[in-house]
Structure formats: C-alpha cells, structure tokens
C-alpha cells in the first residue's frame, strides 16, 4: 500500500503565487464571500396576541409571527407562475458520477452551495426537468435558497420548480425570497418540527410585495460555492 512519511510531507515545498496575483485573488474571493451572506429578520423576543382559533384555519401562522398582516402585503407568488411541476424521487436510477447523457440532480444541498453528487438520465418519465430560466426554491428547511436555473438539470423532490410567465422577473423574485423579509414570510408557512417544509399551496399564496420587483441586479450564480473556489484555484 502506497504511503508517505509525515516528515517528508511536512518538508514538501508549496508553490506560492506572486504578490500581485495574491492581491488580485483577494478581490475575487471577497466577491464570492459577499455572495454567501443572507440577511435574516431578527427573532421577536417578546410578543403575544389573542385570537379565536375556532374561527381561523391558519392559526399556525398566527402563532408563528406577530405580524400576520404580511400575508396580505403583495401579489401571490402563484400569479407569477405558469407551471409548477411536482418533483419525484430519482433514487431508483441515479448514479454517483457524471456519465454521458445524464444531468445533475439539484437538491437542497446544491441550492445551498454544495457540489453536485448525483446525476440522472433525463429520459426517465418520472423525473422533473429543470430548464434555464426556471425559479428554484427549497421545499424543505428554513431557508429558501432560491435561484434562477442557468442550465438543464433534474429536480429532487426537496425543491419546487416554478416556470414563470415572465422569466425576466426571476432574479427579482429570487432576491426577495433569499432576503430578510422573504425569509420572515417563509417561516410563517413552514410546517413540521424535525424537517420543516412548505406545501405547494403555500408557495402559490406566498405574498410578493410590488417593490420587490424593482430589483435590477444580475442573476446570482447557481454554481456551488465549492465549484466557484475550485475555478478560482485552477485559473489563478
């Protein structure tokens, strides 16, 4: 079995880039690092309300937030959506390495910035295909990890695939859903304790305020953080 001695490993020379190149990479890495931040709404430390739970079917929302009026502030996300397909499991025919004819499987971890670890054939009748321009949102967990798809892929059951009427609104919607106010509204709809999740009907009624559509930024990269850093490493 091949091995290396510890003293030899510690004495191995490590090539260092010139100072000018290191300074250039500082800016690149700072830009990538800035994209990893997500603003969150500070939790309410003390609040209480009274409500007749017998007259409401959304009492869970009343218990989750002191500002239930946010549900009426904006246009339902469903009005922006042309089609929302249910995602199905790919476990029966996926492979752990990329093969010719396969597409990456996008799950919650991939939306969160981790590298792809599963691939599947798009020819299967049970998969939900992702096309460039689709809005992807995490179905499970506390964070939206919303992004606009930039390449074909296959959807995991843990995400929602929203095909928009107007794809130009995708970056603004993703920006809002990932922001502090979007995360606050998401928590109103979460159900479950161990693995909190959203229902399809929750996504359809998710309120989007008009000012959120005024965002004019670029589409955030849907490349995982590890892949971004790998690209910087080998192109330096």
């Amino acid at each position: 079995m091949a091995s290396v001695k510890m003293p030899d490993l510690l004495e191995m020379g490590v090539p260092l880039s010139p100072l000018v190149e290191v300074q250039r990479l500082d800016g690149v890495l700072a830009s990538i690092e800035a994209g990893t931040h997500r603003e969150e709404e500070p939790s309410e430390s003390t609040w209480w309300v009274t409500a007749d739970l017998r007259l409401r079917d959304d009492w869970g929302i009343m218990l989750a937030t002191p500002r239930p009026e946010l549900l009426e502030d904006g246009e339902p996300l469903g009005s922006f959506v042309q089609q929302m397909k249910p995602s199905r499991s790919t476990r029966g025919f996926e492979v752990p390495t990329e093969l010719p004819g396969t597409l990456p499987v996008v799950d919650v971890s991939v939306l969160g910035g981790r590298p792809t670890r599963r691939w599947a054939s798009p020819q299967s009748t049970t998969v939900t295909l992702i096309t460039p321009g689709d809005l992807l949102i995490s179905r499970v967990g506390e964070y939206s990890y919303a992004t606009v798809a930039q390449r074909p892929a296959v959807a995991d059951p843990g995400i929602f695939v929203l095909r928009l009427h107007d794809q130009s609104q995708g970056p603004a919607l993703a920006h809002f859903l990932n922001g502090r106010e979007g995360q606050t509204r998401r928590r109103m709809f979460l159900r479950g304790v161990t693995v909190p999740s959203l229902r399809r009907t929750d996504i359809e009624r998710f309120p989007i305020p008009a000012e959120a559509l005024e965002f004019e930024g670029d589409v955030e990269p849907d490349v995982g953080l590890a892949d971004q850093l790998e690209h910087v490493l080998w192109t330096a």
Side-chain angles (χ1 to χ4, degrees):
M1 179 179 297
S3 63
V4 62
K5 295 181 180 179
M6 182 63 70
D8 295 336
L9 180 64
L10 296 177
E11 293 179 2
M12 183 176 62
V14 178
L16 296 177
S17 302
L19 180 60
V20 174
E21 181 63 18
V22 172
Q23 292 174 341
R24 185 190 70 83
L25 291 180
D26 284 344
V28 176
L29 294 176
S31 176
I32 294 177
E33 194 271 342
T36 64
H37 294 299
R38 290 286 182 267
E39 293 185 351
E40 295 184 40
E41 184 77 9
S43 60
E44 301 286 346
S45 57
T46 58
W47 64 272
W48 62 275
V49 295
T50 59
D52 189 346
L53 302 183
R54 296 170 299 176
L55 304 179
R56 305 184 63 93
D57 58 359
D58 57 353
W59 58 268
I61 294 175
M62 295 292 296
L63 298 178
T65 176
R67 296 188 294 160
E69 65 274 6
L70 287 177
L71 292 178
E72 309 299 329
D73 178 22
E75 185 77 12
L77 181 55
S79 64
F80 298 90
V81 178
Q82 174 185 352
Q83 187 180 36
M84 182 163 53
K85 292 184 177 180
S87 301
R88 298 180 177 88
S89 176
T90 61
R91 297 290 183 180
F93 50 87
E94 65 185 29
V95 291
T97 56
E98 184 177 7
L99 298 176
T102 61
L103 292 176
V105 177
V106 177
D107 54 18
V108 177
S109 65
V110 173
L111 290 185
R114 296 183 180 180
T116 302
R117 299 188 182 277
R118 300 152 54 200
W119 285 261
S121 171
Q123 278 72 38
S124 174
T125 58
T126 62
V127 303
T128 300
L129 295 179
I130 296 172
T131 60
D134 288 344
L135 178 62
L136 310 179
I137 305 174
S138 172
R139 183 182 68 84
V140 298
E142 294 188 357
Y143 297 99
S144 301
Y145 296 131
T147 188
V148 177
Q150 299 174 31
R151 55 188 57 80
V154 172
D156 179 84
I159 68 171
F160 288 113
V161 180
L162 283 62
R163 192 147 299 163
L164 304 176
H165 291 293
D166 184 357
Q167 290 189 349
S168 66
Q169 295 177 322
L173 292 172
H175 180 76
F176 174 76
L177 291 169
N178 288 329
R180 184 167 66 178
E181 194 67 35
Q183 298 290 0
T184 298
R185 300 183 186 211
R186 177 184 175 88
R187 293 191 182 101
M188 297 183 188
F189 294 105
L190 288 177
R191 300 172 185 274
V193 178
T194 305
V195 183
S197 63
L198 296 178
R199 298 183 305 185
R200 175 172 178 161
T201 54
D202 299 329
I203 286 292
E204 292 175 342
R205 66 184 290 206
F206 199 105
I208 305 295
E211 57 269 20
L213 300 178
E214 298 175 1
F215 174 75
E216 298 180 353
D218 295 331
V219 177
E220 296 182 1
D222 63 349
V223 179
L225 178 60
D227 292 337
Q228 293 183 53
L229 297 176
E230 187 83 1
H231 180 75
V232 172
L233 174 65
W234 294 111
T235 57

